[in-house]
């Protein structure tokens, strides 16, 4: 089937790659496709830290759990396939979630027990083991180790998915969509900023922050709220953030909701905040960079190399992500909030299932 995907963030690129592999002919439209620096500096996928948090999710049933589990299952083979095409991607496994107060400690220990009962590889690390990790971590009463969750760098991933989708025959169109219209015969007209128009039977909207305005042109109002996230890259003076606890070395450490992501070059990413709207709050960034005033000395002394921000969309009044057939031939895959990187493969599968059963009920 021929179809158009609007938006080339992680959701649109993953879907294009997956659908193209399944024999569909995809046109992927995004003004930022070939830009090193995006026209919109708030694009979520380019800002993300790439954490894949599936098995540490607080619930163990329902749609969100299934999507997380399925995505985690798919990321390994997806990365292998892309690596086989020469893309230098690495899926780093192992997340360490620190408990900074007794309530969190109790919750995390209960989660370890529940997940172990399901046969999932979660472990409890006591305070002494956390304290022994070098360089020093912020104060913690213990920590939950999840061996299967992990992290993948978003920028090389976006590049690999776009490039491999093109190798598989996807058409990449570096334009902005300015309007969508339903034709009398039921097909869709997609109007581009350069004045051109494309016609197709199926459109998938993955346009991040432009999703709601685009759908507004069709008279549809979607309650999707923007939530800003900020991150910084630090260069520690001497300590290299490795935190190797025996054979296990975390791809990321999470403390009070702040992610610490050690980089292969000895640097460190720190992020991400949750700020309503799309305007960055300098105080939120300082709280983040200082780990709410509890950063150990090596971290306080680290040089700040760069900082960035991005917007993620949170559906209002319903659970993330927002996956829906809005009309015949019109699919929505947006509102992934804080887990777009994680959920991209399962979202691509959902889109493929919808595309391959076009007559099914909304
Ligand atoms: C600081 C930060 C850290 C994060 N960390 C993580 C993490 O660790 N793990 C995780 O899973 N998630 C993380 N996220 C969330 C994740 O980034 C988002 O859920 C994800 O980016 C959503 O992807 P998307 O493709 O829907 O949207 P986007 O990435 O916003 O992409 C939308 C695309 O649509 C294009 N577009 C917009 N308008 C148009 C138009 N009119 N025509 C054509 N194209 C258009 C844009 O150019 C853009 O490329 C983080 C987000 C932030 C901000």
């Amino acid at each position: 089937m021929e179809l158009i995907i609007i938006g080339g963030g992680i959701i649109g690129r993953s879907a294009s790659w997956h659908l193209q592999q399944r024999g569909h002919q995809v046109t992927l439209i995004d003004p930022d496709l070939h830009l090193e620096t995006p026209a919109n500096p708030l694009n979520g996928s380019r800002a993300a830290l790439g954490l894949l948090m599936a098995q540490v999710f607080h619930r163990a049933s329902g749609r969100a759990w299934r999507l997380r589990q399925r995505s985690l299952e798919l990321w390994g083979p997806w990365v292998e396939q892309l690596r086989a095409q020469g893309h230098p991607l690495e899926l780093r496994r192992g997340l360490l979630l620190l408990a900074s107060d007794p309530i969190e400690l109790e919750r995390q220990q209960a989660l370890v027990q529940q997940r172990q009962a399901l046969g999932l590889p979660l472990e409890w690390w006591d305070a002494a083991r956390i304290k022994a990790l070098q360089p020093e971590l912020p104060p913690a009463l213990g920590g939950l180790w999840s061996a299967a969750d992990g992290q993948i760098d978003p920028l090389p991933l976006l590049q690999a998915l776009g490039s491999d989708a093109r190798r598989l025959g996807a058409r990449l169109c570096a334009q902005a969509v300015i309007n969508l219209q339903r034709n009398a015969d039921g097909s869709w007209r997609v109007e581009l900023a350069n004045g051109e128009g494309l016609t197709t039977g199926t459109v998938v909207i993955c346009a991040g922050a432009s999703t709601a305005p685009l759908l507004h042109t069709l008279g549809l109002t979607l309650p999707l709220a923007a939530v800003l996230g900020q991150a910084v890259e630090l260069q520690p003076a001497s300590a290299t953030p490795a935190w190797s606890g025996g054979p296990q070395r975390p791809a990321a450490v999470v403390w009070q909701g702040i992610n610490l992501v050690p980089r292969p070059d000895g640097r460190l990413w720190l992020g991400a905040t949750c700020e309503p709207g799309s305007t960055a709050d300098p105080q939120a960034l300082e709280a983040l960079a200082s780990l709410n005033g509890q950063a150990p000395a090596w971290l306080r002394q680290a040089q700040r190399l760069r900082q960035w921000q991005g917007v993620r969309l949170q559906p209002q009044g319903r659970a993330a992500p927002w996956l829906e057939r809005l009309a015949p031939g019109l699919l929505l895959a947006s509102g992934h909030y804080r887990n777009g990187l994680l959920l991209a493969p399962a979202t691509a599968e959902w889109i493929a299932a919808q595309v391959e059963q076009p007559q099914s009920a909304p």
Side-chain angles (χ1 to χ4, degrees):
M1 177 180 289
E2 287 199 14
L3 67 144
I4 287 178
I5 295 182
I6 304 176
I10 190 63
I11 301 301
R13 286 189 200 214
S14 298
S16 302
W17 184 71
H18 182 64
L19 287 162
Q20 200 66 42
Q21 281 185 318
R22 293 182 65 81
H24 302 289
Q25 177 58 59
V26 177
T27 300
L28 174 64
I29 308 177
D30 189 319
D32 282 357
L33 280 177
H34 309 301
L35 298 181
E36 280 290 314
T37 308
N40 178 356
L42 293 182
N43 282 357
S45 303
R46 290 177 188 248
L49 301 186
L51 268 66
L52 309 176
M53 299 176 88
Q55 308 215 336
V56 295
F57 186 47
H58 60 280
R59 286 181 22 220
S61 63
R63 184 188 74 130
W65 169 256
R66 286 194 300 276
L67 288 173
R68 284 173 191 242
Q69 291 301 305
R70 181 64 184 148
S71 279
L72 194 63
E73 203 180 326
L74 288 170
W75 267 127
W78 276 37
V79 165
E80 282 314 309
Q81 258 178 284
L82 291 164
R83 282 172 67 93
Q85 293 303 325
H87 298 285
L89 299 178
E90 196 182 345
L91 172 46
R92 301 179 187 92
R93 299 277 186 181
L95 295 186
L96 179 60
L97 274 59
L98 301 178
S100 61
D101 62 52
I103 297 172
E104 206 173 10
L105 175 98
E106 202 178 315
R107 209 174 45 226
Q108 289 186 354
Q109 285 185 328
L111 197 66
V112 169
Q113 281 182 2
Q114 286 165 16
R115 297 297 136 93
Q116 284 179 346
L118 294 174
L120 301 178
L122 265 61
E123 284 175 23
W124 181 250
W125 288 12
D126 62 21
R129 183 165 181 183
I130 304 288
K131 215 171 166 28
L133 298 177
Q134 288 299 323
E136 183 190 351
L137 282 164
L141 304 174
L144 177 167
W145 168 257
S146 174
D149 289 319
Q151 189 270 345
I152 183 166
D153 287 353
L155 292 183
L157 177 62
L158 287 167
Q159 203 279 331
L161 286 166
S163 149
D164 209 47
R166 187 163 41 193
R167 179 187 67 82
L168 292 165
R171 299 185 190 117
L172 304 192
C173 172
Q175 286 292 322
V177 173
I178 53 166
N179 199 19
L180 258 183
Q181 265 181 0
R182 186 123 191 241
N183 295 321
D185 65 359
S187 63
W188 293 93
R189 183 174 163 75
V190 177
E191 289 178 12
L192 306 179
N194 66 358
E196 283 177 31
L198 305 173
T199 298
T200 183
T202 303
V203 177
V204 187
I205 303 186
C206 321
S210 300
T211 295
L214 257 183
L215 287 169
H216 209 65
T217 65
L218 293 169
L220 296 169
T221 303
L222 295 193
L224 284 167
V227 180
L228 190 103
Q230 302 194 69
V232 290
E233 184 172 47
L234 304 175
Q235 176 70 69
S238 52
T240 298
W243 300 306
S244 190
Q248 295 139 321
R249 179 187 160 131
V253 176
V254 184
W255 180 84
Q256 292 193 350
I258 299 174
N259 305 311
L260 294 84
V261 186
R263 312 296 308 141
D265 55 9
R267 295 176 178 178
L268 179 73
W269 288 349
L270 264 193
T273 57
C274 279
E275 300 160 51
S278 49
T279 307
D281 173 0
Q283 281 179 349
L285 186 69
E286 291 321 308
L288 167 78
S290 69
L291 295 186
N292 300 329
Q294 298 193 61
W298 67 272
L299 198 50
R300 286 200 306 274
Q301 289 153 9
Q303 184 192 356
R304 195 178 300 182
L305 299 174
R306 66 185 177 110
Q307 60 196 55
W308 67 94
Q309 52 201 244
V311 157
R312 355 76 166 167
L313 294 181
Q314 184 180 31
Q316 302 296 285
R318 60 191 290 161
W322 198 329
L323 308 179
E324 188 175 344
R325 182 188 294 270
L326 296 171
L330 183 64
L331 300 174
L332 173 70
S334 189
H336 289 73
Y337 191 35
R338 299 174 75 182
N339 292 288
L341 258 291
L342 167 65
L343 296 174
T347 300
E349 280 195 340
W350 177 84
I351 294 170
Q354 299 300 309
V355 166
E356 289 161 15
Q357 298 167 12
Q359 304 308 319
S360 62

